[in-house]
C-alpha cells in the first residue's frame, strides 16, 4: 500500500483565559492511496479539530498550538505541520483538499459555481481561463450534476443541498489531490442524497486513488465507506483497526456502548426495547479524568486500574490498537 | 367498533402562496401538504418519516392547529378543531403539546427553568399560583430524569441532551393527551439520543400518551413507532404497522429510503437503490404519482392519475399502481448476505 499521509503524535492545545487546554492527544494514523480511514466520535472528541489542524486552518499561536508531524508523501513531500503557511497554502487544494458539512457556508454566495471552480484551478495551475472553464464543466459532469454547462452560471443559493455538496466535491477534486479530508460531508443531507454522495466519493476514489480521511459520528456511514476506523474519545484514539473487525468485535467499552445505543433498521418494529445508553457526559477538556478518560462513564470501570495514568496503547492483533486497561479480561468475558 | 382516534386528519391540505397572481391568472402556490388523511390511535405512536421538503413539519403544525388549513380538517378526540374559535380552542391546546428539534432556540435564555416550565400553567383558567407551578415543575423535572436543583438555572448552563429534557418537561406540564415531537433527537449525539429515546418510550407508556413522532431518521422512527407513515411531496405514500412496513414495504419510495439508510450491521453484499436527482419542487409537482420522476419502476401509466392510498394488507396502505412489485425489506441486505454465505 502506498502511504499518502503519515500523522505522528498530533497534539492540539487551545488557549483560553491564559490557560492551555489540550484537545487532541498524541494521535497517530496513516492514510493510504485508494483507502478511506474514518475518524469516529461524538461532539468534543477532537475529530474535527484534527482535520482542521492537518489543513492548517486552526487559529495561529498563541490561540492554538499544534505539535507532532503530518508527512505528505510523494512529489515535494512535506511535513504539513512544520512548513511555513505560504508553502502550506500551495499544497492546500492541490495535494490535500477538504470538504465540510455545510457546503453553503463554504461556497461564496456572490460568485457563480463556474467562477469558483475556475479560481480553484487557476490559483494552482497556470492554464488559460478558457481551459479552466472547460475543466470546470468536466468536473461538474464527473460529480453527476446534470447540464453542467448551464450549471456553471448558477449561484450557490440556486442549488439544492445535495447539488451544493457535489459542487464542493468538484472544487475539492479540481486538482486531483492525493488526500481528501471529508468532515461530516453527508450529515446535513437526506438519506437518499447521502447515498448518492457516498457512492460518488467511492467512485472518485476508485478512479483517482486518492486517500480519504472521513470524519463522522455515524457508524452506518463508517460501515459503508471506511476501510479502517479510528474511534476517538476526549481527544484520544481509544480503538483503531479494520472497520469490519471493529464493527464485529469492538474491544473498547466506549465503542461497543456507542454501537449499542444506535437503533437498527434490522430490528425496527420488534417491540420497543430499551436502547443501551452511556451515562454521564464527555469530560471537560480543561479537567480530564485521570487514567482512562472514559472511566467515569464506563460500566467496567475498576478503581485502581482504570483511573491510574497512563493507560498504554496495546495491539490485540497486528492491525488493531486499543487504549483500555481491561480489554483483555473483557474480551475473555465475552468468550 | 374501534374507539375514536386521538387525532384524525381528513383530506388535510396546506398551500402557501409564493407569488401573487395577475388578475385572471392564479399565482404560484407551494402545496406543502396535499390531501393527508390519517388516524393517530389512542396511546399509539405514529412515526412520520420523510426527507426535507416532504411537508412533514407543516403537517405537524397543521395537526397542532397552529396554522389554519387551506382545506380539509383536523379532528382531536372527535372534535373538528378548524371550526373552533381561538377561545374555544384553548382547552384543547392544553391537551396537545409539542417538542422541537433545537431545544436551545425554543427555550427563553432569560428565563430560569422554573419560569420556563411554569409558563404553560400561567394562563390556565384561574391560573396556577407560583408555588403550585414550582412544585409541578419540580415533579416534571424528576419525571424527565433531572434533579430539582435545576429549577433556578438557565438554559445556557445545560448540555443539548439536558435542554431537550427541559423541553420535554415543559410539554408535559399540562398533562397532555397528545404530544407532537418534531426531529427531537436529530441534533443530539448518539449516546444522548439513546437516553432521550428511552425517556420518550417510558413517558409514553407511563403517561399513556398518544404521539406523532416526526423524523428523517428511519432507524429512529422504526424504534419508537407503532405505525409508520412515509411522506413524499406533501402526500402520504405508504402507512403501515412498523414491522409490516420495514419487513414488506409496498411503495418504491419506502424501499429506496430503507435501502439508502446506512446500517452498521456488518454483512457482506448489500443491494442499494440509489435514487437519481432531488425531490421535485412542490410548486410544480409531477403529474400523476409525485415519485415517478425518481422511481426505478415507473411506467407510462404512472404519469396519468394520482394514485390513491389503497389497502394492500392489514392496516397497510400504499399509493402505488405497481402492486405487482416484490420490494426489498429493510432486513433484505442481511438475508442476502446470509444466503450468499450458505453453500447450498
Amino acid at each position: 500500500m502506498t502511504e499518502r499521509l503519515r500523522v505522528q503524535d498530533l497534539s492540539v492545545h487551545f488557549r483560553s483565559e491564559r490557560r492551555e487546554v489540550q484537545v487532541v492527544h498524541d494521535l497517530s494514523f496513516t492514510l493510504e492511496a485508494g483507502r478511506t480511514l474514518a475518524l469516529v466520535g461524538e461532539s468534543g472528541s477532537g475529530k474535527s479539530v484534527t482535520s482542521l489542524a492537518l489543513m492548517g486552518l486552526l487559529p495561529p499561536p498563541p490561540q492554538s498550538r499544534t505539535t507532532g508531524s503530518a508527512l505528505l508523501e510523494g512529489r515535494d513531500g512535506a511535513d504539513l505541520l512544520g512548513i511555513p503557511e505560504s508553502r502550506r497554502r500551495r499544497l492546500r487544494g492541490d495535494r490535500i483538499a477538504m470538504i465540510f458539512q455545510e457546503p453553503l457556508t463554504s461556497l461564496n454566495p456572490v460568485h457563480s459555481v463556474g467562477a469558483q471552480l475556475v479560481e480553484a484551478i487557476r490559483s494552482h495551475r497556470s492554464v488559460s481561463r478558457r481551459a479552466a472553464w472547460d475543466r470546470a464543466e468536466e468536473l461538474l459532469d464527473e460529480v453527476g450534476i446534470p447540464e453542467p454547462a448551464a450549471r456553471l452560471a448558477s449561484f450557490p443559493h440556486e442549488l439544492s443541498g445535495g447539488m451544493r455538496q457535489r459542487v464542493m466535491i468538484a472544487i475539492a477534486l479540481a486538482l486531483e489531490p492525493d488526500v481528501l479530508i471529508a468532515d461530516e460531508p453527508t450529515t446535513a443531507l437526506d438519506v437518499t442524497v447521502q447515498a448518492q454522495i457516498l457512492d460518488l466519493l467511492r467512485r472518485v476514489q476508485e478512479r483517482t486513488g486518492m486517500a480519504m480521511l472521513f470524519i463522522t459520528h455515524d457508524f452506518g456511514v463508517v460501515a459503508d465507506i471506511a476501510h479502517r476506523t479510528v474511534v476517538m474519545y476526549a481527544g484520544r484514539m481509544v480503538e483503531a483497526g479494520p472497520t469490519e473487525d471493529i464493527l464485529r468485535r469492538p474491544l473498547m467499552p466506549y465503542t461497543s456502548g456507542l454501537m449499542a445505543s444506535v437503533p437498527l433498521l434490522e430490528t425496527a418494529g420488534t417491540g420497543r426495547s430499551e436502547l443501551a445508553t452511556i451515562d454521564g457526559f464527555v469530560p471537560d477538556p480543561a479537567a480530564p479524568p485521570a487514567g482512562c478518560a472514559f472511566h467515569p462513564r464506563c460500566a467496567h470501570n475498576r478503581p485502581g486500574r482504570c483511573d491510574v495514568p497512563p493507560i498504554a496503547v496495546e495491539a490485540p492483533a497486528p492491525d488493531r490498537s486499543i487504549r483500555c486497561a481491561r480489554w483483555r479480561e473483557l474480551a475473555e468475558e465475552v468468550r | 367498533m374501534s374507539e375514536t382516534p386521538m387525532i384524525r386528519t381528513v383530506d388535510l391540505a396546506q398551500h402557501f402562496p409564493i407569488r401573487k397572481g395577475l388578475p385572471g391568472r392564479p399565482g404560484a402556490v407551494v402545496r406543502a401538504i396535499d390531501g393527508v388523511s390519517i388516524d393517530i390511535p389512542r396511546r399509539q405512536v405514529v412515526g412520520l418519516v420523510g426527507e426535507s421538503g416532504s411537508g412533514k413539519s407543516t403537517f405537524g403544525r397543521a395537526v397542532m392547529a397552529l396554522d389554519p388549513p387551506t382545506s380539509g380538517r383536523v379532528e382531536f378526540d372527535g372534535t373538528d378543531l378548524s371550526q373552533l374559535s381561538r377561545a374555544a380552542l384553548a382547552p384543547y391546546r392544553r391537551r396537545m403539546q409539542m417538542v422541537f428539534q433545537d431545544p436551545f432556540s425554543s427555550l427563553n435564555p432569560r428565563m430560569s427553568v422554573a419560569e420556563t416550565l411554569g409558563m404553560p400553567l400561567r394562563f390556565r383558567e384561574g391560573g396556577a399560583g407560583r408555588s403550585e407551578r414550582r412544585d409541578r415543575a419540580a415533579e416534571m423535572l424528576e419525571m424527565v430524569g433531572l434533579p430539582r436543583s435545576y429549577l433556578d438555572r438557565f438554559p445556557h448552563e445545560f448540555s443539548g441532551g439536558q435542554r431537550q429534557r427541559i423541553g420535554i418537561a415543559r410539554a408535559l406540564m399540562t398533562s397532555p393527551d397528545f404530544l407532537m415531537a418534531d426531529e427531537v433527537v436529530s441534533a443530539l449525539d448518539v449516546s444522548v439520543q439513546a437516553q432521550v429515546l428511552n425517556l420518550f418510550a417510558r413517558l409514553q407508556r407511563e403517561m399513556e400518551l398518544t404521539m406523532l413522532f416526526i423524523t428523517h431518521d428511519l432507524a429512529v422512527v422504526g424504534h419508537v413507532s407503532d405505525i409508520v407513515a412515509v411522506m413524499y411531496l406533501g402526500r402520504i405514500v405508504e402507512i403501515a404497522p412498523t414491522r409490516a412496513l420495514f419487513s414488506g414495504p409496498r411503495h418504491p419510495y419506502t424501499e429506496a429510503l430503507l435501502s439508502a439508510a446506512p446500517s452498521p450491521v456488518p454483512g457482506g453484499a448489500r443491494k442499494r437503490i440509489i435514487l437519481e436527482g432531488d425531490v421535485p419542487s412542490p410548486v410544480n409537482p409531477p403529474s400523476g404519482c409525485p415519485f415517478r420522476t425518481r422511481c426505478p419502476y415507473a411506467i407510462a401509466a404512472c404519469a396519468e392519475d394520482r394514485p390513491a392510498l389503497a389497502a394492500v394488507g392489514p392496516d397497510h396502505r400504499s399509493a402505488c399502481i405497481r402492486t405487482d412489485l416484490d420490494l426489498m425489506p429493510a432486513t433484505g441486505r442481511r438475508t442476502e448476505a446470509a444466503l450468499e454465505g450458505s453453500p447450498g
Side-chain angles (χ1 to χ4, degrees), chain B:
Chain B
M1 271 311 288
S2 56
E3 58 182 345
T4 318
M6 186 60 79
I7 300 279
R8 166 169 284 171
T9 70
V10 182
D11 229 358
L12 192 66
Q14 190 69 270
H15 298 174
F16 298 110
I18 51 166
R19 275 195 301 276
K20 286 231 173 69
L22 296 168
R25 258 177 60 190
V29 292
V30 174
R31 297 165 180 275
I33 49 173
D34 205 15
V36 175
S37 303
I38 64 168
D39 284 356
I40 305 179
R42 287 164 188 276
R43 297 175 298 279
Q44 300 246 307
V45 180
V46 170
L48 181 62
V49 68
E51 298 184 283
S52 30
S54 61
K56 54 192 192 301
S57 290
T58 305
F59 179 75
R61 288 182 59 88
V63 164
M64 296 300 292
L66 293 175
D67 304 312
T70 308
S71 63
R73 62 179 193 273
V74 177
E75 291 173 8
F76 180 85
D77 204 1
T79 307
D80 180 0
L81 296 182
S82 56
Q83 297 304 311
L84 299 180
S85 66
R86 274 181 75 122
L89 206 51
Y92 288 95
R93 289 219 186 283
R94 278 194 287 279
R95 296 177 57 192
M96 45 203 308
Q97 292 289 336
M98 57 193 146
V99 187
F100 302 97
Q101 169 168 5
D102 183 352
F104 197 55
S105 62
S106 60
L107 295 176
N108 186 333
R110 307 173 82 155
M111 274 192 195
S112 70
V113 171
E115 289 171 298
T116 294
L117 295 188
M119 209 45 124
L121 296 187
R122 273 179 85 162
F123 304 104
R124 199 170 68 178
E125 225 164 303
R130 193 171 175 280
S131 68
E132 188 190 330
R133 294 201 304 266
R134 201 176 159 83
D135 286 347
R136 174 82 181 153
E139 192 188 332
M140 285 305 110
L141 272 188
E142 276 164 19
M143 193 76 164
V144 300
L146 295 176
R148 190 187 181 100
S149 61
Y150 284 7
L151 280 175
D152 297 308
R153 298 221 201 154
F154 289 83
H156 73 266
E157 299 178 64
F158 298 106
S159 71
Q162 289 172 322
R163 283 179 204 144
Q164 197 52 287
R165 286 171 194 266
I166 294 168
I168 296 166
R170 175 176 57 185
L172 299 176
M173 286 295 284
T174 59
S175 308
D177 299 314
F178 172 71
L179 198 61
M180 192 270 280
D182 190 355
E183 297 280 12
V184 283
V185 295
S186 307
L188 305 175
D189 271 325
V190 284
S191 67
V192 183
Q193 170 178 297
Q195 295 168 5
V196 174
L197 288 177
N198 284 344
L199 173 64
F200 268 108
R202 179 169 64 77
L203 293 172
Q204 196 266 331
R205 209 170 45 237
E206 287 175 7
M207 305 178 85
E208 300 195 325
L209 289 166
T210 304
M211 281 180 59
L212 175 63
F213 199 98
I214 298 175
T215 178
H216 69 283
D217 189 321
L218 283 141
V220 166
V221 94
H223 182 77
V224 301
S225 314
D226 299 298
I227 298 168
V228 174
V230 180
M231 201 164 199
Y232 188 78
L233 270 188
R235 302 170 189 182
I236 302 292
V237 295
E238 183 165 6
I239 182 166
T242 306
R243 192 72 209 137
L245 188 108
F246 279 70
S247 60
R250 299 297 303 270
H251 195 285
Y253 180 59
T254 310
E255 181 195 41
L257 276 183
L258 292 175
S259 88
S263 163
V265 176
R270 46 170 45 181
K271 183 169 171 258
R272 169 166 287 184
I273 298 156
I274 296 184
L275 292 179
E276 288 186 12
D278 296 312
V279 180
S281 160
V283 179
N284 191 12
S287 66
C289 171
F291 183 58
R292 70 178 172 82
T293 52
R294 301 172 77 200
C295 181
Y297 311 108
I299 53 175
C302 296
E304 284 164 18
D305 296 309
R306 168 176 164 178
L309 204 50
V312 290
D315 298 321
H316 193 156
R317 292 184 294 155
S318 167
C320 178
I321 59 169
R322 294 290 312 265
T323 48
D324 55 313
L325 297 171
D326 182 20
L327 301 176
M328 186 172 64
T331 48
R333 297 175 289 197
R334 216 190 216 172
T335 325
E336 254 174 8
L339 286 177
E340 272 176 27
S342 67

Side-chain angles (χ1 to χ4, degrees), chain A residues 159-204:
Chain A
L159 305 174
S160 67
M163 284 298 155
R164 281 179 208 140
Q165 197 55 285
R166 284 171 194 271
V167 169
M168 277 309 297
I169 294 171
I171 292 174
L173 298 178
L175 302 161
E176 307 219 323
D178 295 333
V179 176
L180 180 69
I181 299 179
D183 188 354
E184 303 260 13
T186 59
T187 305
L189 304 175
D190 282 319
V191 280
T192 59
V193 181
Q194 167 169 282
Q196 293 169 357
I197 297 291
L198 293 178
D199 189 52
L200 168 65
L201 288 171
R202 213 178 354 248
R203 278 189 290 113
V204 168

Side-chain angles (χ1 to χ4, degrees), chain A residues 40 194 198 216-226 243 247 259 262 264, chain B residues 260-265 270 272 333:
Chain A
V40 197
Q194 167 169 282
L198 293 178
T216 181
H217 66 282
D218 186 334
F219 274 107
V221 172
V222 170
D224 199 280
I225 196 140
T243 301
L247 294 179
M259 283 169 53
V262 188
L264 296 178
Chain B
S263 163
V265 176
R270 46 170 45 181
R272 169 166 287 184
R333 297 175 289 197

Side-chain angles (χ1 to χ4, degrees), chain A residues 24-245:
Chain A
V24 177
H25 297 254
D26 307 314
L27 187 64
S28 301
F29 56 84
T30 304
L31 301 183
E32 292 171 344
R35 313 281 284 175
T36 299
L37 177 84
L39 278 190
V40 197
E42 300 184 280
S43 344
S45 63
K47 58 193 195 300
S48 287
V49 173
T50 299
S51 65
L52 294 174
L54 293 176
M55 290 298 283
L57 296 174
L58 290 176
Q63 285 107 301
S64 84
R65 191 163 61 83
T66 305
T67 57
S69 64
L71 290 174
L72 196 58
E73 307 286 337
R75 76 187 142 90
D76 47 73
D79 176 6
L80 291 173
L81 306 181
I83 52 176
E85 175 59 21
S86 58
R87 179 134 182 250
R88 197 186 294 131
R89 195 177 301 135
R90 280 205 304 279
L91 295 174
R92 201 160 51 208
D94 187 357
R95 303 282 315 283
I96 177 167
M98 184 162 177
I99 52 177
F100 299 88
Q101 176 171 344
E102 187 28 88
L104 195 56
T105 54
S106 317
L107 290 168
N108 190 327
V110 301
H111 290 294
S112 71
V113 165
Q116 296 186 57
L117 271 160
V118 165
E119 187 202 356
I121 296 166
R122 285 178 34 108
S123 60
H124 292 277
R125 300 275 191 278
S126 46
V127 294
S128 70
R129 191 164 287 280
R130 182 70 252 166
W133 200 265
D134 289 345
R135 174 81 183 119
E137 187 182 330
E138 242 175 68
L139 283 163
L140 289 190
D141 189 40
E142 269 175 41
V143 297
I145 293 183
E147 300 171 66
R151 280 285 92 110
L152 283 174
S154 299
F155 287 85
H157 73 268
E158 299 174 300
L159 305 174
S160 67
M163 284 298 155
R164 281 179 208 140
Q165 197 55 285
R166 284 171 194 271
V167 169
M168 277 309 297
I169 294 171
I171 292 174
L173 298 178
L175 302 161
E176 307 219 323
D178 295 333
V179 176
L180 180 69
I181 299 179
D183 188 354
E184 303 260 13
T186 59
T187 305
L189 304 175
D190 282 319
V191 280
T192 59
V193 181
Q194 167 169 282
Q196 293 169 357
I197 297 291
L198 293 178
D199 189 52
L200 168 65
L201 288 171
R202 213 178 354 248
R203 278 189 290 113
V204 168
Q205 185 177 50
E206 273 165 26
R207 192 175 55 75
T208 67
M210 70 183 177
M212 190 153 49
L213 179 65
F214 201 101
I215 290 157
T216 181
H217 66 282
D218 186 334
F219 274 107
V221 172
V222 170
D224 199 280
I225 196 140
H227 304 94
R228 285 183 64 82
T229 294
V230 173
V231 182
M232 290 185 72
Y233 185 76
R236 283 186 176 86
M237 182 280 292
V238 292
E239 177 156 19
T243 301
E244 177 118 3
D245 283 8

